[in-house]
Amino acid sequence: MSEKIFIGVAWPYANGELHLGQIAGAYLPPDIFARYHRAKGNEVLMVSGSDQHGTPITIKAEQEGVKPAEIAARYHKLFLESWQKLGISFDLFTTTGTANHAEVTQDIFLTLLKKDYIYRDIVSQSFCPQCQRFLADRYIEGTCPYCYSTGARGDQCEACGKPLNPAELIDPHCRICGTPPVFKDTEHFFLKLSAFNDKLLKWVKQQTHWRPNVLNFTTRYLEDGLKDRAITRDIKWGIPVPVKGYENKRIYVWFEAVIGYLSAAKEWAKSSGDEEKWRSFWQDEKTKSYYFIGKDNIPFHTLIWPAMLTGYGDLNLPYDVPANEFLTIEGRKLSTSHNWAVWLLDYLSRYDPDPLRYLLSINMPETADTDFSWREFVRRNNDELVATYGNLAHRVLTFTYRNFNNRVPEPGELDQQDKKILDSARDTLAAVDRLLYGCHFREAIRNAMSLAQAANRYLDEKSPWKVIKEDRQAAANSLYVTLAVISYLKTMLYPFLPFSSQKLHQLLGFKGNVADHGWQPQPPPPGQKLPPPEPLFSKLDDSLIEAETKRLGHGPG
Ligand SMILES: [Zn+2]
Ligand SMILES: [Zn+2]
């Protein structure tokens, strides 16, 4: 029986390029998960899109003298290019700028309003008399009342880390023009999150399969009590409030971006030709919904989105939210403003996708922060991908090609050692299956690489290149067994390393797409013709470590 899996992936904000922190945190894990489930024959819908509303984009647009839509379109295009080059296999990657998204958002807004989960209230908000606009907290700057450093933001002081509110700042001024703000009353719509507190707490306590960090964080939040939050703002860029008299207000990005998961599913259904198809991923209780995000996004996906879904009714709540911790770069906290980051497209302009996918998988920040360093990148590529896995495949393919008339040899009777490594390959495939099913990506790829190591030892002990002189059948046996094991490896490593798995699939003489062959043992049939062998991976030179490390922290972010 095939399963239905909905995969929601964090919506990247369309005012900057993607960096490795985001890839390790939120984009690579769902791709591994989607590829695994598709190979298993399950029905998968994986969606996301660019988040293109909100103040930072309007400010960037003003600085450049262009329209906000132009900024959003520029980064959307770069996101699409990034997914294609890194092999992130979305079923749909759309944007929050579509008419469909506005329609779905306004429907949810009006339904929650009708059910009294949204209400109006007057708030006093900072307003810049020079710019003639209300200022979000982080657009007010001043001197920190705790550490007296200048340039502290209205929401937090970056120097001492203390959370602030704008009224506490000494000498507050507008970040854009420098004018001191005034406070003005304005009416806004609020989401009555407090109404969902008890229901959510009961629900969250049942989610014992969640990662401990996600579960603990969410429970603490609920035990402190959810506070109602404003969901509209006085800006012009965004989705209009669908209520008469509020034409100058827009729906807050945090409220509408999460709705993208639902609107994208509807858009996907429309473009598939069956408009109702989204329902099986949202209303079938057997469908499991997974949300892949970084840890800074947890409350939006374990509290606010579930509250909105509960209030609206008849839509599936998240089954799991496997949020990742952070990736540091060369031992330091990643910072885009100081350009202490590795940019994805810049990486892909010089290196292949699979070595990066490998490193970020085997070192995934699943339960604690992990570090990316160029030294480790080179070491893992050269020692693990090239010397362990790639070399195993290349040795056996080359020797077979030359000595067995470029065909998979016919095995005779297998001995204990042959059977042992084949059993171990079968067990590893089952273990990787279980681990991937539970979103334990790091452990899964580590298991696969242990099998590659064991297969190398097996091949060294069997030494077909020595044995062939006196016992051709014994050599044929060990070559056949090793070819079978690398075929297992290409299947279990496919979700992580799709490009090299496809290549190995073809080098083993198979036709078509590796994913279409599914998640099952697939020893190559004896007699199958092999194409001329080629290495799976290339060795990287140590000199790149210094060159790449030097680039960090320099130039614009
Ligand atoms: Zn101003
Ligand atoms: Zn401070």
Side-chain angles (χ1 to χ4, degrees), residues 144 146-149 157 159-161:
C144 171
Y146 300 100
C147 74
Y148 298 102
S149 65
C157 170
C160 70

Side-chain angles (χ1 to χ4, degrees), residues 246-315:
Y246 296 88
E247 288 77 9
N248 289 326
K249 296 184 194 282
R250 296 291 178 269
I251 296 174
Y252 222 136
V253 266
W254 66 260
F255 182 83
E256 53 111 338
V258 286
I259 297 174
Y261 299 118
L262 177 63
S263 68
K266 290 187 174 183
E267 183 184 336
W268 165 83
K270 272 181 206 156
S271 65
S272 80
D274 176 1
E275 247 183 79
E276 301 302 314
K277 212 167 150 186
W278 66 273
R279 291 184 193 280
S280 71
F281 285 100
W282 276 97
Q283 295 181 322
D284 182 343
E285 280 175 10
K286 288 199 282 305
T287 298
K288 285 181 179 164
S289 311
Y290 292 79
Y291 292 85
F292 286 87
I293 55 168
K295 71 171 163 191
D296 46 338
N297 238 329
I298 293 173
F300 292 97
H301 293 78
T302 60
L303 298 166
I304 292 174
W305 182 226
M308 290 160 69
L309 291 167
T310 306
Y312 187 86
D314 200 24
L315 294 171

Side-chain angles (χ1 to χ4, degrees), residues 353-364:
D354 273 0
L356 180 64
R357 293 181 62 116
Y358 177 72
L359 174 57
L360 296 183
S361 299
I362 203 146
N363 203 11
M364 194 175 275

Side-chain angles (χ1 to χ4, degrees), residues 169 187 206 215 332 335 354 360 364 376 381 410 422 442 448 491:
L169 288 174
E187 189 181 22
Q206 293 162 1
L215 192 59
R332 270 171 56 183
S335 160
D354 273 0
L360 296 183
M364 194 175 275
E376 194 190 359
N381 179 78
E410 186 78 49
L422 284 174
R442 203 152 79 127
T491 302

